[in-house]
Amino acid sequence: MHRLSAALLAFVLATPALAASELPAIGTAFPSWSLRDHTGTVVTSESLRGKTYLLWYYPKAQTPGCTIEGRGLRDDFPSFQQRGVEILGVSFDDPRANATFVTAEQFPFRLLSDTDRTLALQVGAAASADAPVSRRVSFLVGPDGKVIKTYGMVIPTTHAADVLADLVAKP
């Protein structure tokens, strides 16, 4: 497993939770995007039109918190499938690092690479274009491309359960 440098760990721990105003508002159109997945295939928001998806930004592949969060989503994957929700992880890692993460953790979902931070900057997952890692935020996007829910303060150990609870409560 990769180890975080002391400086990177300090950055991750010092990154405050996002205010709701820094994230796309519920009911607004989520920005259009195009990112490569861990196999090198281009995935776009347009290709997901008509589907509900969870786009979860995680700081760095194969680090402790990201692994815990990913495992939770993996373990609850059948419940997401039953609700018609596609899970897509996103980080600043390149596709090769994400492929290693998928293989190591047997993730049944795609991991996307936002290496230039374009989408991250639009949705509040990065404070700047040179941010070393993304903020831990997630977005539940509906079949119409509009934001159903934003998660600006994600707890890795409960994130999957939190999203599923929101899906069950959703009218």
Side-chain angles (χ1 to χ4, degrees):
M1 186 177 304
H2 297 283
R3 292 188 170 229
L4 287 175
S5 70
L8 185 57
L9 181 59
F11 172 83
V12 171
L13 294 176
T15 302
L18 291 171
S21 63
E22 296 180 79
L23 300 172
I26 293 171
T28 62
F30 195 74
S32 294
W33 53 268
S34 176
L35 300 170
R36 290 204 179 275
D37 74 6
H38 63 278
T39 68
T41 302
V42 174
V43 181
T44 66
S45 53
E46 189 57 36
S47 69
L48 296 168
R49 199 80 159 147
K51 297 179 183 177
T52 299
Y53 62 93
L54 175 69
L55 197 70
W56 64 284
Y57 268 92
Y58 59 93
K60 186 143 185 70
Q62 295 188 287
T63 54
C66 301
T67 300
I68 289 167
E69 186 176 9
R71 286 176 181 167
L73 292 165
R74 175 199 65 201
D75 295 348
D76 283 333
F77 187 72
S79 295
F80 283 96
Q81 279 188 308
Q82 288 171 352
R83 289 166 179 78
V85 177
E86 182 158 351
I87 298 172
L88 300 158
V90 188
S91 71
F92 301 159
D93 297 304
D94 64 29
R96 190 170 19 137
N98 281 333
T100 300
F101 195 22
V102 165
T103 300
E105 297 302 328
Q106 300 177 349
F107 290 151
F109 44 79
R110 296 178 283 187
L111 297 183
L112 310 176
S113 297
D114 188 5
T115 55
D116 66 3
R117 293 143 178 83
T118 299
L119 180 59
L121 288 166
Q122 292 176 342
V123 299
S128 68
D130 59 352
V133 295
S134 74
R135 293 173 168 156
R136 190 180 305 279
V137 297
S138 292
F139 310 94
L140 191 58
V141 180
D144 58 358
K146 292 184 180 177
V147 177
I148 296 171
K149 175 91 179 181
T150 59
Y151 300 87
M153 186 168 180
V154 172
I155 300 169
T157 55
T158 64
H159 188 49
D162 294 340
V163 176
L164 285 170
D166 288 336
L167 287 167
V168 169
K170 188 182 100 171

mmCIF file of all heavy atoms in Angstrom, residues 5 9 20 45 76 84 88 97-98 105 125 131 133 139 162 171:
data_model
loop_
_atom_site.group_PDB
_atom_site.id
_atom_site.type_symbol
_atom_site.label_atom_id
_atom_site.label_comp_id
_atom_site.label_asym_id
_atom_site.label_seq_id
_atom_site.Cartn_x
_atom_site.Cartn_y
_atom_site.Cartn_z
ATOM 1 N N SER A 5 3.105 10.945 2.152
ATOM 2 C CA SER A 5 4.192 11.714 2.738
ATOM 3 C C SER A 5 3.615 12.538 3.875
ATOM 4 O O SER A 5 2.412 12.790 3.954
ATOM 5 C CB SER A 5 4.812 12.630 1.679
ATOM 6 O OG SER A 5 3.902 13.661 1.352
ATOM 7 N N LEU A 9 -0.134 14.103 3.963
ATOM 8 C CA LEU A 9 -1.028 13.736 5.049
ATOM 9 C C LEU A 9 -1.502 14.977 5.797
ATOM 10 O O LEU A 9 -2.688 15.117 6.106
ATOM 11 C CB LEU A 9 -0.354 12.759 6.003
ATOM 12 C CG LEU A 9 -1.196 12.269 7.177
ATOM 13 C CD1 LEU A 9 -2.455 11.572 6.674
ATOM 14 C CD2 LEU A 9 -0.395 11.332 8.053
ATOM 15 N N ALA A 20 -21.749 24.096 1.948
ATOM 16 C CA ALA A 20 -22.702 23.721 0.902
ATOM 17 C C ALA A 20 -22.634 24.675 -0.277
ATOM 18 O O ALA A 20 -22.848 24.271 -1.422
ATOM 19 C CB ALA A 20 -24.109 23.678 1.475
ATOM 20 N N SER A 45 -20.408 12.303 -19.047
ATOM 21 C CA SER A 45 -21.704 12.528 -18.401
ATOM 22 C C SER A 45 -22.823 12.226 -19.395
ATOM 23 O O SER A 45 -23.874 11.707 -19.009
ATOM 24 C CB SER A 45 -21.806 13.962 -17.884
ATOM 25 O OG SER A 45 -21.509 14.897 -18.895
ATOM 26 N N ASP A 76 -21.463 -2.770 -0.557
ATOM 27 C CA ASP A 76 -22.879 -2.426 -0.720
ATOM 28 C C ASP A 76 -23.282 -2.282 -2.191
ATOM 29 O O ASP A 76 -24.400 -1.860 -2.486
ATOM 30 C CB ASP A 76 -23.204 -1.124 0.024
ATOM 31 C CG ASP A 76 -23.331 -1.336 1.523
ATOM 32 O OD1 ASP A 76 -23.679 -2.465 1.935
ATOM 33 O OD2 ASP A 76 -23.095 -0.384 2.287
ATOM 34 N N GLY A 84 -30.577 1.002 -9.096
ATOM 35 C CA GLY A 84 -30.230 1.552 -10.401
ATOM 36 C C GLY A 84 -29.179 2.652 -10.357
ATOM 37 O O GLY A 84 -29.148 3.514 -11.227
ATOM 38 N N LEU A 88 -19.127 5.624 -9.525
ATOM 39 C CA LEU A 88 -17.925 6.025 -10.248
ATOM 40 C C LEU A 88 -17.004 6.762 -9.277
ATOM 41 O O LEU A 88 -17.373 7.802 -8.736
ATOM 42 C CB LEU A 88 -18.271 6.957 -11.406
ATOM 43 C CG LEU A 88 -19.207 6.388 -12.466
ATOM 44 C CD1 LEU A 88 -19.888 7.499 -13.235
ATOM 45 C CD2 LEU A 88 -18.437 5.473 -13.392
ATOM 46 N N ALA A 97 -2.683 3.800 -11.946
ATOM 47 C CA ALA A 97 -2.791 3.707 -10.478
ATOM 48 C C ALA A 97 -4.205 3.278 -10.080
ATOM 49 O O ALA A 97 -4.374 2.466 -9.154
ATOM 50 C CB ALA A 97 -2.444 5.048 -9.841
ATOM 51 N N ASN A 98 -5.204 3.798 -10.788
ATOM 52 C CA ASN A 98 -6.581 3.402 -10.488
ATOM 53 C C ASN A 98 -6.828 1.942 -10.842
ATOM 54 O O ASN A 98 -7.571 1.246 -10.146
ATOM 55 C CB ASN A 98 -7.571 4.323 -11.200
ATOM 56 C CG ASN A 98 -7.742 5.637 -10.469
ATOM 57 O OD1 ASN A 98 -7.566 5.721 -9.263
ATOM 58 N ND2 ASN A 98 -8.096 6.675 -11.204
ATOM 59 N N GLU A 105 -8.500 -4.227 -4.749
ATOM 60 C CA GLU A 105 -9.692 -4.214 -3.892
ATOM 61 C C GLU A 105 -10.909 -4.897 -4.531
ATOM 62 O O GLU A 105 -11.981 -4.908 -3.940
ATOM 63 C CB GLU A 105 -10.039 -2.780 -3.497
ATOM 64 C CG GLU A 105 -8.963 -2.108 -2.673
ATOM 65 C CD GLU A 105 -8.624 -2.855 -1.382
ATOM 66 O OE1 GLU A 105 -9.532 -3.497 -0.788
ATOM 67 O OE2 GLU A 105 -7.456 -2.803 -0.971
ATOM 68 N N ALA A 125 -14.209 19.944 -5.739
ATOM 69 C CA ALA A 125 -13.396 18.821 -5.270
ATOM 70 C C ALA A 125 -11.912 19.170 -5.215
ATOM 71 O O ALA A 125 -11.108 18.381 -4.722
ATOM 72 C CB ALA A 125 -13.615 17.596 -6.150
ATOM 73 N N ALA A 131 -3.646 21.389 -6.698
ATOM 74 C CA ALA A 131 -3.931 20.627 -5.485
ATOM 75 C C ALA A 131 -3.345 19.223 -5.633
ATOM 76 O O ALA A 131 -3.543 18.580 -6.663
ATOM 77 C CB ALA A 131 -5.433 20.549 -5.243
ATOM 78 N N VAL A 133 -4.088 16.437 -4.029
ATOM 79 C CA VAL A 133 -5.129 15.414 -3.949
ATOM 80 C C VAL A 133 -6.485 16.105 -3.951
ATOM 81 O O VAL A 133 -6.597 17.293 -3.662
ATOM 82 C CB VAL A 133 -5.002 14.541 -2.674
ATOM 83 C CG1 VAL A 133 -3.717 13.723 -2.696
ATOM 84 C CG2 VAL A 133 -5.096 15.377 -1.412
ATOM 85 N N PHE A 139 -21.171 13.257 -5.193
ATOM 86 C CA PHE A 139 -22.350 13.850 -5.816
ATOM 87 C C PHE A 139 -23.253 12.740 -6.326
ATOM 88 O O PHE A 139 -22.808 11.871 -7.067
ATOM 89 C CB PHE A 139 -21.933 14.748 -6.983
ATOM 90 C CG PHE A 139 -20.858 15.723 -6.595
ATOM 91 C CD1 PHE A 139 -19.523 15.423 -6.807
ATOM 92 C CD2 PHE A 139 -21.182 16.923 -5.986
ATOM 93 C CE1 PHE A 139 -18.525 16.311 -6.423
ATOM 94 C CE2 PHE A 139 -20.202 17.812 -5.597
ATOM 95 C CZ PHE A 139 -18.862 17.509 -5.816
ATOM 96 N N ASP A 162 -24.626 5.986 4.198
ATOM 97 C CA ASP A 162 -25.258 7.308 4.168
ATOM 98 C C ASP A 162 -25.975 7.537 2.835
ATOM 99 O O ASP A 162 -27.117 8.018 2.796
ATOM 100 C CB ASP A 162 -24.233 8.415 4.398
ATOM 101 C CG ASP A 162 -23.626 8.381 5.801
ATOM 102 O OD1 ASP A 162 -24.233 7.781 6.718
ATOM 103 O OD2 ASP A 162 -22.523 8.956 5.970
ATOM 104 N N PRO A 171 -38.067 10.549 -2.282
ATOM 105 C CA PRO A 171 -39.436 10.266 -2.744
ATOM 106 C C PRO A 171 -39.478 9.691 -4.145
ATOM 107 O O PRO A 171 -38.617 9.827 -4.929
ATOM 108 C CB PRO A 171 -40.114 11.627 -2.712
ATOM 109 C CG PRO A 171 -39.062 12.648 -2.482
ATOM 110 C CD PRO A 171 -37.807 11.946 -2.108
#
